[in-house]
Amino acid sequence: MTVMDSALKTRDNAKTRAPRKRRLGSPVMIACQIALGVAILAFWQIGASTGFLDPFFFSDPVSVATRIYDWFTSGSIYTHLIATGQATLLSFVIGAVLGLLFGTLLGRVHFLERLFDPYIKMFNAMPRLLLAPIFLLWFGLGIGSKIALGVTLVFFLVFFNTLEAMKGVSRPLIDNSRMLGASEWQLLKTVYLPSALGLIFSSLHSSIGFAIIGVVTGEYMGAFRGIGYVIAQSQGTFDTTGVFAGMVTLMVFVLVIEFFIGKAERRLLAWRSVGRN
């Protein structure tokens, strides 16, 4: 057997072992994640039961789970969940679209980037959560103030990631495409966006959390419904169980949205995995 044959055989064996390694690794990681979560919940429950953690301040997992179960079985949570979901989805979509459009535009037109640079930095340095009272004055206690606050949080995250992604596209690739006669629209569609999708989707994963923060903060400060409103009402009555139940509901809500974003990312970026094989 020659050295070349040995190398080819080693490569083929690695290819056959890699899928099995991935298949074995995924269940093990999931089991470790579940075990970690169970350990944290067990510590919380035991600490609350033994008095190590004061139930008045920390509640306990059983009480929180019971409260969530009561909310869903009675149907009282659905109105609040729908309100938060609508505001989150709208703020996420509006902020992401605006961030994508402006990031693409300023990433392609250097003059506009330099023109708006000081103003963008100035507004980005402003703590956006401080805008919540202003939005409440402008848009009232309805959904508009929550969407506005969520958009301000999502926009800058998507904008800066899109801007950097556009500026980081390979210059030789752009020049070669232009030499082949590609128009500006073709460059955007076939060069810029495919190259930037990875960084853009990474910002979308983070921005959904920021959208939740903006919406819930707005609901917490003033609203008629929503998960933030439920948490505020629970806090006002010193109901720690209600506060934790609202937080857990939000966590699950974010995980569900993250799941669908991940599926969309894998579908749109499937060509990358094909290219690596």
Side-chain angles (χ1 to χ4, degrees), residues 68 72 81 246-258:
I68 295 175
F72 280 93
L81 197 59
M247 292 168 58
V248 172
T249 304
L250 282 176
M251 293 176 189
V252 175
F253 178 72
V254 172
L255 287 177
V256 171
I257 297 179
E258 280 274 358

Side-chain angles (χ1 to χ4, degrees), residues 38-60:
V38 171
I40 294 174
L41 292 176
F43 173 79
W44 184 9
Q45 182 65 45
I46 294 173
S49 301
T50 58
F52 179 74
L53 299 175
D54 191 342
F56 180 80
F57 294 105
F58 295 95
S59 187
D60 62 87

Side-chain angles (χ1 to χ4, degrees), residues 191-210:
V191 177
Y192 280 97
L193 287 181
S195 301
L197 275 179
L199 193 56
I200 291 173
F201 267 103
S202 68
S203 68
L204 294 182
H205 282 289
S206 303
S207 61
I208 187 62
F210 281 88

Side-chain angles (χ1 to χ4, degrees), residues 8-28:
L8 291 174
K9 184 177 180 180
T10 303
R11 185 192 65 181
D12 294 338
N13 291 336
K15 286 184 177 180
T16 57
R17 286 196 302 266
R20 185 173 64 179
K21 185 177 180 180
R22 285 194 293 268
R23 287 196 298 269
L24 291 176
S26 180
V28 171

Side-chain angles (χ1 to χ4, degrees), residues 235-253:
Q235 182 191 23
T237 57
F238 301 100
D239 181 11
T240 310
T241 301
V243 174
F244 277 104
M247 292 168 58
V248 172
T249 304
L250 282 176
M251 293 176 189
V252 175
F253 178 72

